[in-house]
Amino acid sequence: MGIRQDFERRIAKKQQEIADLELQLRDARSYLQALQDSMKMIPQDMLEEGGSGRELRVGSSLYKAREALRKFGKPLHINELLKAIGKPVEKKSRLSLSGSLAAYVRKNEIFTRPGPNTFGLHEFDVATESELPESFGQV
């Protein structure tokens, strides 16, 4: 009967090891899912190499607006943006630029609209710390 008890003990021990490993696997899958969900919250232009994301044509009004926003480091009203890129502050240019910027805002790309007629960049909203701490996700 000693052999049978030895086998039962070994079986119980191995079943406990399997249960522990399954728990670790479940935790690892949860952690992976949390990382993937967190990555979805980061604007696409920040995920791509170089951080510039979807490329705007150099010299275009949108490109100049993005560069002006980067220079000032904060969201700007459409009139301030027009002044910064050297365009006249008149209804036609205001409508043109704000319409183009709004198209990117609707697609949730590059530009944001934190207020009426005020535009910013998604990169302003992303935390400055780019690396996660080693303890991130540990239970």
Side-chain angles (χ1 to χ4, degrees), residues 75-138:
L76 295 175
H77 188 271
I78 191 69
N79 291 339
E80 294 171 327
L81 261 176
L82 287 169
K83 288 176 191 172
I85 65 173
K87 295 259 184 176
V89 182
E90 55 187 30
K91 186 174 182 175
K92 183 179 178 182
S93 56
R94 203 170 39 242
L95 288 174
S96 174
L97 183 60
S98 63
S100 297
L101 292 169
Y104 281 87
V105 171
R106 281 189 299 274
K107 290 189 268 182
N108 202 24
E109 295 178 348
I110 303 173
F111 298 100
T112 61
R113 185 182 293 158
N117 293 318
T118 304
F119 295 93
L121 295 173
H122 275 290
E123 57 195 63
F124 296 160
D125 299 335
V126 177
T128 56
E129 194 171 315
S130 61
E131 292 194 21
L132 300 174
E134 288 297 320
S135 62
F136 183 78
Q138 293 180 356

Side-chain angles (χ1 to χ4, degrees), residues 3-122:
I3 294 176
R4 180 178 175 88
Q5 290 173 342
D6 187 42
F7 276 115
E8 288 175 348
R9 185 177 45 81
R10 288 179 187 214
I11 289 171
K13 184 178 177 184
K14 192 52 75 174
Q15 286 176 332
Q16 183 61 44
E17 284 179 35
I18 290 171
D20 291 343
L21 289 172
E22 287 174 341
L23 181 63
Q24 286 179 354
L25 182 60
R26 192 185 75 213
D27 289 344
R29 285 188 175 138
S30 296
Y31 177 66
L32 176 62
Q33 184 64 45
L35 286 175
Q36 290 170 336
D37 290 344
S38 297
M39 195 167 97
K40 289 177 186 176
M41 296 176 66
I42 299 172
Q44 191 65 30
D45 60 334
M46 297 300 289
L47 293 175
E48 296 177 8
E49 290 297 318
S52 62
R54 183 171 173 188
E55 293 301 317
L56 298 173
R57 221 177 21 205
V58 177
S60 69
S61 295
L62 291 172
Y63 178 85
K64 290 177 184 177
R66 183 179 64 185
E67 295 307 309
L69 288 167
R70 284 181 176 167
K71 178 182 172 191
F72 284 92
K74 64 178 185 173
L76 295 175
H77 188 271
I78 191 69
N79 291 339
E80 294 171 327
L81 261 176
L82 287 169
K83 288 176 191 172
I85 65 173
K87 295 259 184 176
V89 182
E90 55 187 30
K91 186 174 182 175
K92 183 179 178 182
S93 56
R94 203 170 39 242
L95 288 174
S96 174
L97 183 60
S98 63
S100 297
L101 292 169
Y104 281 87
V105 171
R106 281 189 299 274
K107 290 189 268 182
N108 202 24
E109 295 178 348
I110 303 173
F111 298 100
T112 61
R113 185 182 293 158
N117 293 318
T118 304
F119 295 93
L121 295 173
H122 275 290

